[in-house]
Amino acid sequence: DPYANDPKRHKVLKVNGPKPFCGETPGPLLCESFLTPANSFYVRNHLPVPEIDIKDYELEIAIEDDTKKVINFEDIKKYPKYTVITAIMCGGNRRSEMNAVKPLKGLSWGVGAVGNASWSGARLTDVLADLKINEDDWKHVQFEGYDLDPSGVPYGGSIPISRALDPRADVILAYEMNGEPISRDHGYPIRAIVPGVVGARNIKWLAKIVISNEESRSQFQRGDYKGFSPSVDWDTVDFSKSPAILDMPVTSAICTPTPGEVIQLKDGKIPVKGYAWSGGGKKIIRIDLTVDQGKTWHVANQLIDDENVKEGRHWSWTLWSAEIPIDVDKNEVEVWVKAVDASYNVQPESFENIWNLRGLLCNAYHRVNVKIKK
Ligand code: MTE
Ligand code: MO
């Protein structure tokens, strides 16, 4: 069993697949803390977790096929230490809601394939500066992990070089998560953190960085984690025709109450809590909620986010809470939420018109049915 040496997981994770391990954080736990603890942070593995002895750890940095250098863990720690708070979200977060509209292929994630953590490490720009590469000569920076499929092919992905070399993009080679060494499931000992970008490009167990004019040849870069028009099906899909997902679109979700929960009315209101996030460093500026299908909207009164950042570098999620008045005659309501980001991007209303065969970018309004106790 190639998975025999996988780490033990915390029992709170809702298991979506045991081998490779995939598990999500339950909604109510998710909105309890601004920084998600490592042991309850969702896990999305595609392969067995590699066993890495820090003494033997090596990171190869190459320019196309020429190996330029190999650095070790201590070398990475010598660069200035830099910390960013960023959410990481799987491209398939909330896929179960899109699947309810029309079946699709992919793990059935609820609202918990996301977490928010502080990550510390060396800036990728600092590490690449030593190579003296000219940004204009290259297009992509590829990453490979130490996790291998049975034929020896690693998990991989790439990002545009403009992003990798931009100090304001805050891309780091992280060795700490929430101030502790990164745990095995989350990429020990070194993980690429690419803030604001789909989870898939945040390569864990980083083995290799390649400066190239080509995107990563990995299946996960070229044949997966892409969006398509709702009418594209498995007979007509051409993965070469869509760009790889990079920045994630604006989204939000209700974490409490959970679907079907019975809520005690207090002063004619119910408390609602959740998260919101937009990729590309865009701040969340407003959360709108309705319990009457949009006839009247209520604005969340409390937003918690990372205040120590500059405009356009808002990588963390926003936790929000609201108290919503409920008509006295109602025994049941459907709560809807939508978030608005700094570019005034708003979530789409329904999943029907954003449906895609891989169930990615599932950012329509989140709707939760709640029973009212008076
Ligand atoms: N990196 C490697 N090496 N192997 C992987 O399977 N999964 C990716 C990404 N990085 C993956 C990886 C995907 S699809 C996601 S959503 C995130 O890691 C999940 O990160 P987490 O398990 O720390 O939550
Ligand atoms: Mo993912």
Side-chain angles (χ1 to χ4, degrees):
D1 175 6
Y3 294 93
N5 293 319
D6 263 24
K8 294 256 178 306
R9 277 94 189 191
H10 199 289
K11 60 181 186 307
V12 294
L13 288 179
K14 196 174 141 264
V15 181
N16 230 325
K19 295 173 184 185
F21 185 81
C22 296
E24 71 181 284
T25 318
L29 191 61
L30 211 49
C31 65
E32 260 178 32
S33 53
F34 181 66
L35 294 181
T36 314
N39 62 4
S40 57
F41 199 102
Y42 86 101
V43 177
R44 198 320 177 206
N45 293 339
H46 291 80
L47 297 162
V49 176
E51 277 189 284
I52 300 170
D53 187 330
I54 200 142
K55 295 192 294 298
D56 304 331
Y57 174 79
E58 286 186 340
L59 173 64
E60 186 183 315
I61 305 176
I63 299 181
E64 285 215 318
D65 292 330
D66 309 322
T67 301
K68 285 293 169 195
K69 64 192 248 187
V70 173
I71 60 175
N72 63 26
F73 189 74
E74 286 309 314
D75 297 328
I76 295 171
K77 288 198 81 170
K78 280 182 202 137
Y79 290 95
K81 183 174 176 180
Y82 196 73
T83 299
V84 287
I85 298 179
T86 182
I88 294 184
M89 182 182 284
C90 183
N93 187 43
R94 301 183 53 209
R95 181 182 282 133
S96 57
E97 297 163 64
M98 186 179 275
N99 185 68
V101 164
K102 191 169 111 184
L104 43 76
K105 266 189 211 168
L107 290 171
S108 192
W109 295 116
V111 299
V114 58
N116 190 56
S118 92
W119 303 88
S120 309
R123 282 199 209 225
L124 183 59
T125 43
D126 293 344
V127 176
L128 294 183
D130 295 352
L131 295 182
K132 308 220 179 330
I133 35 177
N134 182 353
E135 188 179 323
D136 298 336
D137 295 342
W138 305 102
K139 292 203 182 99
H140 303 276
V141 174
Q142 308 175 351
F143 301 117
E144 279 179 17
Y146 269 107
D147 47 339
L148 307 172
D149 74 11
S151 64
V153 176
Y155 181 90
S158 56
I159 58 170
I161 193 143
S162 51
R163 185 78 62 119
L165 294 183
D166 181 358
R168 292 181 194 83
D170 291 324
V171 181
I172 60 173
L173 305 183
Y175 41 79
E176 282 175 17
M177 176 183 190
N178 296 338
E180 303 280 335
I182 298 179
S183 66
R184 282 190 64 210
D185 259 334
H186 297 297
Y188 179 84
I190 298 286
R191 173 180 201 167
I193 290 293
V194 190
V197 158
V198 65
R201 318 294 173 224
N202 291 257
I203 311 298
K204 305 194 272 190
W205 316 293
L206 193 63
K208 196 169 172 180
I209 300 175
V210 185
I211 314 299
S212 177
N213 274 318
E214 281 202 56
E215 268 187 290
S216 164
R217 297 202 156 267
S218 170
Q219 155 73 7
F220 305 105
Q221 182 74 20
R222 298 203 181 187
D224 202 350
Y225 294 106
K226 292 184 174 195
F228 294 95
S229 182
S231 294
V232 172
D233 61 26
W234 289 101
D235 295 327
T236 56
V237 66
D238 178 353
F239 274 91
S240 72
K241 291 283 192 300
S242 280
I245 300 168
L246 197 63
D247 292 336
M248 286 287 277
V250 61
T251 193
S252 64
I254 295 163
C255 293
T256 68
T258 53
E261 198 173 325
V262 182
I263 294 291
Q264 176 70 51
L265 208 59
K266 270 196 214 106
D267 302 328
K269 295 177 176 170
I270 56 162
V272 182
K273 278 186 181 182
Y275 66 77
W277 188 58
S278 187
K282 293 189 170 77
K283 186 181 168 76
I284 296 296
I285 60 159
R286 202 181 72 227
I287 302 294
D288 293 330
L289 297 125
T290 179
V291 288
D292 58 11
Q293 276 73 38
K295 281 192 227 44
T296 43
W297 291 92
H298 308 271
V299 175
N301 53 339
Q302 198 195 11
L303 305 188
I304 302 167
D305 61 11
D306 182 2
E307 283 162 10
N308 304 316
V309 292
K310 298 234 164 84
E311 193 276 330
R313 293 162 80 182
H314 209 97
W315 317 117
S316 86
W317 68 9
T318 295
L319 295 183
W320 52 265
S321 58
E323 309 253 298
I324 308 177
I326 304 291
D327 281 351
V328 280
D329 59 324
K330 288 274 188 323
N331 294 315
E332 205 171 339
V333 291
E334 194 175 57
V335 188
W336 296 3
V337 65
K338 64 175 161 87
V340 184
D341 75 16
S343 299
Y344 283 99
N345 291 310
V346 188
Q347 295 173 242
E349 185 172 337
S350 73
F351 280 103
E352 276 81 1
N353 302 321
I354 59 165
W355 187 95
N356 60 88
L357 76 177
R358 275 294 279 116
L360 297 162
L361 313 162
C362 305
N363 70 328
Y365 296 3
H366 189 214
R367 304 166 192 230
V368 171
N369 206 280
V370 186
K371 297 195 172 61
I372 308 295
K373 201 169 134 194
K374 288 165 211 165

